[in-house]
Amino acid sequence: MYFKAFLKKEKIDILIFASAMILGCVSSYIFINGPVTWAGPIGCITAYIVMFFWEYRKFKRDTKESNKLLHNRRSF
């Protein structure tokens, strides 16, 4: 439930990241016949995944808190 709503919200960020990684990979193959090491792209992807799930946890917590406030207001 929360994950689908989060994906809808972050769709543009995911597309920008994926297109930048693909563009970087393609350009490295064109200019220097592949990346010098795979540590750079793997590090970027790992950092993005960590940031993505950190933002997801924040989104989930904020959504739960806003739902609690809505339910508390209805009870009065």
Side-chain angles (χ1 to χ4, degrees), residues 17-55:
F17 175 76
S19 62
M21 288 300 293
I22 291 170
L23 182 66
C25 185
V26 168
S27 67
S28 70
Y29 275 103
I30 290 172
F31 293 126
I32 58 173
N33 293 328
V36 176
T37 66
W38 287 101
I42 290 173
C44 289
I45 291 170
T46 304
Y48 185 77
I49 290 171
V50 168
M51 185 200 70
F52 181 81
F53 282 108
W54 187 5
E55 291 290 324

Side-chain angles (χ1 to χ4, degrees), residues 62-75:
D62 292 344
T63 305
K64 283 183 180 179
E65 288 178 4
S66 67
N67 286 342
K68 282 183 182 178
L69 290 174
L70 288 175
H71 290 299
N72 288 340
R73 289 181 185 168
R74 290 180 190 164
S75 63

Side-chain angles (χ1 to χ4, degrees), residues 2-15:
Y2 295 113
F3 195 69
K4 287 183 182 179
F6 181 72
L7 283 179
K8 286 181 184 177
K9 181 183 173 207
E10 297 292 322
K11 176 175 35 177
I12 298 298
D13 290 341
I14 294 169
L15 289 174

